[in-house]
Amino acid sequence: MALGDLGTRVVGRYIRWHDSLPSTNDLALRLAEIPVPEGTVIVAEEQTAGRGRLGRAWASPRGGVWLSVILSPGLPMDKVAVLGLAAGIAAAQAIRKTTGLLARLKWPNDVLVEGQKVVGILAEATPGADWVVVGIGINANIAPDALPVVSGHPLTSLQALLGHVVDREALIRALLRELDQGYAVLRASGISGVLRQWREMAETLGRRVHVEVAGATIHGTAFDIDGAGALLVRLDDGAVQRVVAGDVRMREAGS
Ligand code: BT5
């Protein structure tokens, strides 16, 4: 696969293609320690041990977009999550532009179309946060029966939504360009620009939610994210809970 000249400043200056890898994030984390030039991208046609958050497995059959970007944002460890938000924005924009589907964001980093997850993002820092690896997985051209069934968390692929395959090269090109732009905004104007754009594209805000946090479930209304990307939930008794890591389920009215 050849992407041609991306015209980006940082993201995608070097691209390494692999037919099959255990996990693009694992290789990128190892390469970052060498180090390799900032903006290097690792792409795999399939992953045999793709990873989600909290040690979960990520199904990565052929036909999807599985890649990791090596960045050095100079953010303190507690702000690294903002890069994950920026990646979610970039993936949603790339899907909108390439397919016309109305992709929206679910906290922290999922991209949903018609309420179903089509993108997962895993941002991981090396110790000391000198390097951050942003892993992005897009269910592009995947038959629905090649994806797991997860109760309470509907998911699908772009191919299933559209009824035809997507141009994966165009999707990757758009993704890397959008991420490059988002990264430039983050470096020039700081976190607030990323937060503003995330709020505009968010499906989670203003919604009644269940959030699973460390073995417990909290119920309330998600009303904002803070400067570190944490979700702010107003509980039913009026108190505000700040959620740094957790799984959100959005509730229908009345549930
Ligand atoms: C994520 O985790 O959503 C982050 C996924 C990041 C994947 C990319 S691909 C490139 C890079 N290399 C890697 O090894 N990883 C990154 P989380 O929110 O924890 O969601 C994981 C859960 O989603 C799993 O427990 C399953 O229930 C479900 N799941 C697994 N595979 C899926 C898929 N392809 N599409 C949608 N949901 C999936």
Side-chain angles (χ1 to χ4, degrees):
M1 197 181 277
L3 297 180
D5 183 12
L6 287 172
T8 53
R9 279 150 288 197
V10 177
V11 175
R13 283 189 296 184
Y14 299 92
I15 302 184
R16 289 179 54 147
W17 299 90
H18 293 260
D19 183 57
S20 181
L21 280 178
S23 156
T24 56
N25 263 38
D26 289 350
L27 179 57
L29 283 165
R30 283 205 305 278
L31 290 173
E33 299 277 19
I34 292 177
V36 293
E38 186 182 29
T40 296
V41 175
I42 315 297
V43 192
E45 295 294 328
E46 69 164 3
Q47 297 183 117
T48 52
R51 295 190 289 110
R53 293 177 301 140
L54 308 168
R56 293 187 284 229
W58 180 258
S60 318
R62 285 176 193 277
V65 170
W66 322 122
L67 61 79
S68 300
V69 186
I70 300 173
L71 296 170
S72 178
L75 290 169
M77 197 54 131
D78 66 338
K79 297 277 190 333
V80 162
V82 175
L83 215 50
L85 301 182
I89 295 166
Q93 296 282 29
I95 289 172
R96 287 183 184 194
K97 287 184 178 167
T98 315
T99 68
L101 293 168
L102 184 57
R104 296 177 63 76
L105 300 168
K106 172 171 173 261
W107 188 88
N109 302 320
D110 293 352
V111 178
L112 308 184
V113 176
E114 296 171 14
Q116 303 170 86
K117 178 164 170 172
V118 292
V119 176
I121 284 160
L122 180 64
E124 298 181 293
T126 57
D130 292 334
W131 296 95
V132 179
V133 164
V134 182
I136 303 173
I138 306 182
N139 297 335
N141 296 330
I142 301 177
D145 61 9
L147 289 169
V149 174
V150 188
S151 99
H153 293 278
L155 55 98
T156 189
S157 69
L158 300 179
Q159 179 183 346
L161 286 161
L162 290 164
H164 58 78
V165 295
V166 297
D167 180 341
R168 241 166 26 110
E169 274 177 45
L171 184 62
I172 295 174
R173 219 180 284 123
L175 174 65
L176 299 180
R177 284 185 179 142
E178 293 288 336
L179 186 59
D180 191 64
Q181 277 172 27
Y183 192 54
V185 170
L186 180 65
R187 302 257 281 207
S189 355
I191 286 168
S192 60
V194 175
L195 300 181
R196 194 175 323 115
Q197 207 176 357
W198 193 91
R199 289 183 184 109
E200 278 170 18
M201 300 179 80
E203 187 142 307
T204 312
L205 300 183
R207 297 281 297 269
R208 303 272 303 157
V209 291
H210 299 292
V211 191
E212 280 148 43
V213 227
T217 305
I218 62 168
H219 312 275
T221 302
F223 67 95
D224 204 0
I225 48 172
D226 71 11
L231 186 67
L232 302 177
V233 179
R234 192 174 312 283
L235 306 181
D236 294 340
D237 65 4
V240 171
Q241 179 141 351
R242 180 171 183 268
V243 183
V244 178
D247 282 310
V248 172
R249 266 181 303 134
M250 288 179 279
R251 296 155 67 182
E252 301 308 322
S255 74

